[in-house]
Amino acid sequence: MKFLFVFLMLASTAFAHVNLTVTKANELATGVLETQLAHPWPFELLSIGHNMQSYQNYSGEPYWHDGLDIRSKPDQPIYAAAGGKVVNVENYVPGNPLYWEIAILDDQGFVWKYHHVAKASIPAEIQAAYAQGAKIAVGTYLGNVVRWPVTTHGEVYHHLHLLVVGKDKRYVNPFLLMMPLPDTVAPVINQIGIAKNHRPIQGQQVSGPHSIFVDASDLVLHRTFILPPHQISYRLDNGPEVIVWRFDTLPSGTNDKDFINDFYLEGTCGNYNCRKFFFNLNFTTRRPRATMNLAPGEHQIEVMVEDIVGNRSARPFRWRVL
Ligand SMILES: [Zn+2]
């Protein structure tokens, strides 16, 4: 019980933080912003390959992507999106040249982690700044994106994996701190349906405990690399709008696995060969696998999905509870 109380306290702290960043996101969208919240992109990007909430499952143990995969041309130079103190230069998967990190702590307390920097390209000035705990300016050259050895969806996947960590150690959605991208395409709802035992089923009638799922996807500056939407919400039987989650932060605190198997239903995939997202509309952090508790008869739900810049789609679904 004490544990539950602590958890609720943490959850309410998290929501305070979310509200703060929502305000910032709205300011970004309307162009009324503080300059430090419209950070420049580290280079001219090709597209977004994964976002914070992307489902990752390469070896059977799913995890949240946590940051943005910013896709680049080969050997793309990287320029610091925020100035600050160089707090890490590290081969974080020791011996593997694909996994070098440069981390910078900015004056607002955010740590910006640049992953997949080519080691040989990291300038001596960055190494020296790290050794001395010195600051660098926004726009400082950090090195080049390492050549990624994998082709996926027909394109070589050179990318910078950018993570932003807040003062509370939680991952912050980097989109909220960056200049908005020219994305005018709304997310797509492919299907809405019934789930039993945490698995989508066919049909429009059901008895016993069940939940409702949505299969939805978004694209940012690309036609193939589908992403989970930024926000998922619904109205049940014409009731008030309920936000399942808005990915200003992850629902999982500082752990990049917590809740992922609750938020995503079975049948979801996310790897080099497969991207398909079945979202559990009954997800909450307090009852991650809650089910519908509805009277027998006809019911309807309207599902809404929204991207980071506010493009939005909606679709209804009707079913019968026996
Ligand atoms: Zn990544």
Side-chain angles (χ1 to χ4, degrees), residues 13 26 36 41 46 85 128 155 164 185 194 254 278:
T13 310
N26 292 341
Q36 70 269 23
W41 289 85
L46 299 183
K85 186 174 157 185
E155 296 183 26
V164 179
V185 180
I194 299 164
T254 56
F278 295 109

Side-chain angles (χ1 to χ4, degrees), residues 77-126:
I78 304 161
Y79 302 96
K85 186 174 157 185
V86 180
V87 290
N88 200 28
V89 177
E90 184 190 6
N91 186 203
Y92 62 94
V93 179
N96 190 325
L98 297 177
Y99 298 97
W100 277 84
E101 169 185 287
I102 297 175
I104 293 164
L105 170 63
D106 76 11
D107 291 342
Q108 278 84 46
F110 295 109
V111 178
W112 299 67
K113 297 184 173 188
Y114 302 80
H115 285 188
H116 314 322
V117 184
K119 195 226 175 189
S121 68
I122 299 173
E125 301 80 65
I126 296 298

Side-chain angles (χ1 to χ4, degrees), residues 65 69 116 159 161:
H65 185 255
D69 274 358
H116 314 322
H159 66 286
H161 179 108

Side-chain angles (χ1 to χ4, degrees), residues 119-166:
K119 195 226 175 189
S121 68
I122 299 173
E125 301 80 65
I126 296 298
Q127 298 278 12
Y130 174 47
Q132 295 154 13
K135 283 189 177 183
I136 59 154
V138 61
T140 300
Y141 171 61
L142 301 178
N144 294 351
V145 173
V146 76
R147 288 196 169 208
W148 203 253
V150 179
T151 295
T152 173
H153 302 290
E155 296 183 26
V156 184
Y157 199 64
H158 306 305
H159 66 286
L160 170 69
H161 179 108
L162 176 66
L163 296 159
V164 179
V165 181

